[in-house]
Amino acid sequence: MVKDYKTIYEGGTGEIVQKKSRFIATIAYVETEEEAITFIEQTKKKYWDARHNCSAYIIGERQEIMRCSDDGEPAQTAGKPMLDVLSGQGLCNVVAVVTRYFGGTLLGTGGLVRAYSKAVQEGLQNAVIVEKHLADELTITTDYNGIGKIQYLLAQEQLNPTNTDYTDTVVVTVPVPVDLTGQLKAKVIQATNGRAKMEIERQLYYGMIGKEVVLFDEE
């Protein structure tokens, strides 16, 4: 499993105008090539009256599948520049469609490359991108004397608990990057003189959306 990768959390759209041609970018998250193809077809139906609906997508946490289409534009002027933007940002499991309404003026090869690239960049700016980290979901059970020390350790490591239960004990649930789990457990043991109990509940991916921790099931 890949330890870290970037993908789309929420899709987005963006639009630019070049010499009266409209370029509308639509960005979405997909998990399979079939989903990407379906999304492209749906977008073509939505913009059925457009001159071109060019596309690019990347599937797999290691970017195993990368495809693009110029959809009638001169070769290498649309799909490839779009794909280059997606891959250049290190994105996985993403599809982009750029719809062009022709404005009557030819843009030339360089102009097309710049327009399709800029449209995708505009769409990505309006999407929500998340970096997913493979983590152990760790529960730490401590007494009230130990919670302050544990919270300090977690803050030092920039780890954000997803839940804290206060009863006769305190149970903290926190996703910990897999490479950091052993080190953190050792620090907790030392800080609490071995009184805290720790257990790995499951392995999953997590990411930060602003200041919020978002959990993703193991993929």
Side-chain angles (χ1 to χ4, degrees):
M1 296 175 69
V2 177
K3 291 180 182 177
D4 305 283
Y5 69 96
K6 287 170 64 178
T7 189
I8 300 296
Y9 182 68
E10 290 181 2
T13 61
E15 181 176 337
I16 65 169
V17 177
Q18 297 288 327
K19 295 183 179 179
K20 297 184 179 179
S21 280
R22 292 175 61 206
F23 295 84
I24 305 166
T26 311
I27 313 291
Y29 171 81
V30 288
E31 293 185 347
T32 66
E33 191 165 15
E34 290 74 19
E35 288 181 9
I37 293 169
T38 297
F39 179 81
I40 293 166
E41 292 304 316
Q42 289 173 342
T43 306
K44 285 184 175 181
K45 288 179 181 178
K46 179 179 179 180
Y47 297 108
W48 60 270
D49 57 340
R51 177 71 67 90
H52 305 282
N53 283 283
C54 305
S55 59
Y57 58 86
I58 300 174
I59 305 298
E61 288 79 16
R62 293 182 175 87
Q63 298 186 325
E64 293 93 336
I65 300 173
M66 304 174 74
R67 303 271 191 272
C68 62
S69 169
D70 294 311
D71 193 39
E73 292 282 29
Q76 306 292 303
T77 64
K80 181 63 164 57
M82 293 168 59
L83 189 62
D84 287 344
V85 173
L86 299 178
S87 61
Q89 292 208 19
L91 291 169
C92 307
N93 293 343
V94 58
V95 59
V97 179
V98 174
T99 302
R100 181 188 184 188
Y101 285 94
F102 185 56
T105 302
L106 297 176
L107 299 182
T109 300
L112 287 172
V113 169
R114 288 189 293 272
Y116 279 99
S117 299
K118 187 177 178 181
V120 174
Q121 291 166 354
E122 189 74 15
L124 289 174
Q125 285 181 0
N126 295 318
V128 178
I129 296 173
V130 63
E131 185 165 356
K132 293 184 178 181
H133 308 282
L134 183 62
D136 294 315
E137 188 176 52
L138 185 68
T139 57
I140 306 171
T141 304
T142 183
D143 55 28
Y144 280 79
N145 292 325
I147 184 60
K149 297 173 183 177
I150 290 170
Q151 289 173 333
Y152 176 76
L153 283 175
L154 295 180
Q156 271 193 321
E157 300 294 342
Q158 296 184 323
L159 298 174
N160 299 277
T162 53
N163 192 53
T164 304
D165 285 331
Y166 295 89
T167 55
D168 54 331
T169 60
V170 184
V171 181
V172 179
T173 304
V174 59
V176 183
V178 290
D179 290 340
L180 187 60
T181 302
Q183 178 183 338
L184 179 68
K185 290 172 75 172
K187 288 183 178 181
V188 170
I189 290 170
Q190 182 179 14
T192 63
N193 294 319
R195 291 194 298 272
K197 296 179 181 179
M198 289 169 283
E199 185 175 347
I200 296 174
E201 298 296 330
R202 56 177 175 160
Q203 200 167 78
L204 43 64
Y205 282 98
Y206 82 97
M208 299 297 298
I209 305 298
K211 296 183 178 180
E212 180 185 356
V213 182
V214 179
L215 303 180
F216 305 90
D217 289 333
E218 183 178 333
E219 300 176 9

